[in-house]
Amino acid sequence: MSRPGGLAALLLGLLLADAARAGAPEQRVLSTIAFGSCAHQSRTQAFWTPLLASRPDLFVFAGDNIYADTYDRALKQKKYQQLAAHPGYQELLRTCPVLATWDDHDYGLNDSGGEFRKKEESQELFLDFFGEPADSPRRRQPGVYDAHIFGPPGRRVQVILLDTRYFRSPLKMLAHRVPGGGRYRANRDRSATLLGTNQWAWLEEQLRKPADLRLLVSSIQVVAQDHDWEHWMNFPNERGRLFNLIKSTGAQGVVVLSGDRHHAELSRHPSAIGYPLYDLTASGFNMARGGRVEEPNRYRVGTLYPQNHFGLVRVDWAAKDPLVTLEIRDLKGKPVIQEQFPLSLLRAPAAP
């Protein structure tokens, strides 16, 4: 497969050089993780300045990293290069490691899933752009799912990047749409899948690995269930399977990071996995809807934020019970959504 060339190769080289100076990425203690989604390559990217000012130890793209929406390979490459050429992105690569998964617009077409006929080509372009090594398992598997563990025991952060596009079964359309509402209803077919057989088996292996905090990156929302757009509730059996898998593996410390919705919000399910499951949605680097937005979400904590933004996960490891802070920040770097809790909250109670 082709490897990154030109500017992309230069930027990758800078990243690897910085990583070498700082030690292997897996040895880093992550105290600040920045993330987000929905970055149109042709729009102003003012979010880089406040995001870089937060001094992240790691950056995670949660999908719609570009807006390609095309079958044309050359056009998609051109759009990736628009992102690569942005000074903010270049500075990011000099600052910290970058991890990524995709959503519909960089994977294929709007709301596309397993039926997208150029998905193998899309995967090659994605992996080339993000500098995936030639011997990486991601080069040999269908789908871009991936996982990394950072830090020593006691400060160990696992980042699990799901692929919610490559294997996804068809969506079910609503028979009657409400004006301004969504398009989709639940697909309750037990043969329907969101992650596919191999990714489910891989995810179980990942959840069994030791970690203190696990960031489960899903391009679509996991916890929110009341709207009729894309989310895990389009496939309720798969959503239930995810909850059951987290419980059955005994995985502690799970927090979901999601995107897709073109606004920011924090959701909290009190009982799905035996301890509170938070889902921080950061969806609108430069594609947030703006204006007045109302969308039902029984699990929302606080208010929805409809302007452009980015997300942060901050961990105070010095505290006896490490403090986790989930934040959405506006383009001035001001927190507009914030929730703080001790890491011990993300533990299932011991059996009596």
Side-chain angles (χ1 to χ4, degrees):
M1 293 182 178
S2 60
R3 304 295 300 134
L7 179 59
L10 172 62
L11 297 178
L12 176 60
L14 289 169
L15 171 61
L16 294 176
D18 279 359
R21 286 192 292 271
E26 288 73 11
Q27 300 305 312
R28 290 171 176 252
V29 174
L30 301 184
S31 297
T32 302
I33 300 100
F35 83 102
S37 63
C38 304
H40 198 294
Q41 67 282 347
S42 298
R43 291 190 175 190
T44 299
Q45 297 193 357
F47 57 89
W48 289 121
T49 298
L51 189 154
L52 290 164
S54 72
R55 302 180 65 185
D57 302 306
L58 177 72
F59 176 80
V60 180
F61 270 124
D64 291 340
N65 312 315
I66 60 169
Y67 278 70
D69 296 289
T70 182
Y71 291 109
D72 188 317
R73 180 189 182 98
L75 180 57
K76 185 171 285 189
Q77 285 180 315
K78 180 179 178 180
K79 293 182 177 183
Y80 270 126
Q81 290 307 312
Q82 284 181 261
L83 172 58
H86 196 283
Y89 184 65
Q90 294 176 32
E91 182 61 27
L92 176 73
L93 292 182
R94 290 188 287 266
T95 299
C96 66
V98 175
L99 300 180
T101 189
W102 57 18
D103 200 32
D104 50 344
H105 296 287
D106 43 351
Y107 163 74
L109 304 176
N110 184 50
D111 294 353
S112 53
E115 77 287 346
F116 182 65
R117 59 183 172 83
K118 289 290 187 84
K119 59 186 180 181
E120 294 88 354
E121 182 178 280
S122 285
Q123 179 168 344
E124 180 182 352
L125 293 172
F126 174 93
L127 297 178
D128 283 353
F129 178 77
F130 287 108
E132 198 71 26
D135 60 350
S136 167
R138 284 176 120 186
R139 293 281 183 182
R140 301 189 296 273
Q141 71 187 26
V144 301
Y145 56 90
D146 192 21
H148 297 264
I149 295 176
F150 299 84
R155 300 186 177 190
R156 191 175 286 160
V157 178
Q158 182 183 40
V159 182
I160 301 174
L161 301 151
L162 299 180
D163 185 334
T164 65
R165 293 292 164 185
Y166 199 100
F167 309 97
R168 198 209 68 204
S169 297
L171 297 165
K172 294 285 188 180
M173 303 294 295
L174 285 170
H176 303 286
R177 291 184 62 188
V178 175
R183 300 188 179 98
Y184 305 116
R185 60 182 175 88
N187 184 342
R188 300 188 181 278
D189 184 347
R190 291 197 171 273
S191 67
T193 188
L194 188 54
L195 300 186
T197 302
N198 291 342
Q199 187 175 186
W200 273 116
W202 167 87
L203 178 58
E204 180 173 355
E205 293 177 3
Q206 298 305 315
L207 290 173
R208 293 189 184 279
K209 293 182 178 182
D212 301 290
L213 175 65
R214 304 175 197 269
L215 303 178
L216 186 66
V217 184
S218 169
S219 69
I220 56 174
Q221 291 180 312
V222 172
V223 170
Q225 69 178 60
D226 298 311
H227 61 77
D228 297 319
W229 299 100
E230 283 197 278
H231 50 359
W232 273 71
M233 199 60 183
N234 297 139
F235 300 91
N237 294 321
E238 293 284 88
R239 183 172 180 258
R241 182 177 180 177
L242 177 64
F243 293 161
N244 289 335
L245 184 63
I246 293 172
K247 288 191 289 187
S248 68
T249 56
Q252 309 285 357
V254 175
V255 172
V256 175
L257 306 181
S258 62
D260 181 65
R261 295 300 304 119
H262 298 278
H263 64 250
E265 64 182 324
L266 178 63
S267 304
R268 179 184 184 272
H269 197 305
S271 58
I273 60 173
Y275 56 86
L277 178 61
Y278 285 93
D279 183 343
L280 183 61
T281 302
S283 174
F285 279 136
N286 62 5
M287 291 288 287
R289 288 180 276 180
R292 182 180 177 86
V293 177
E294 295 182 5
E295 185 167 282
N297 180 359
R298 72 186 70 183
Y299 297 119
R300 184 180 297 131
V301 179
T303 59
L304 177 154
Y305 184 71
Q307 309 298 327
N308 291 332
H309 59 272
F310 62 96
L312 285 181
V313 179
R314 296 190 291 112
V315 188
D316 179 2
W317 294 108
K320 184 176 181 180
D321 188 351
L323 288 174
V324 179
T325 304
L326 305 180
E327 287 184 344
I328 297 295
R329 293 193 179 184
D330 65 17
L331 297 192
K332 294 181 179 179
K334 176 184 176 182
V336 291
I337 295 175
Q338 187 178 72
E339 181 87 350
Q340 186 176 81
F341 49 84
L343 184 57
S344 62
L345 182 68
L346 307 183
R347 302 284 185 270

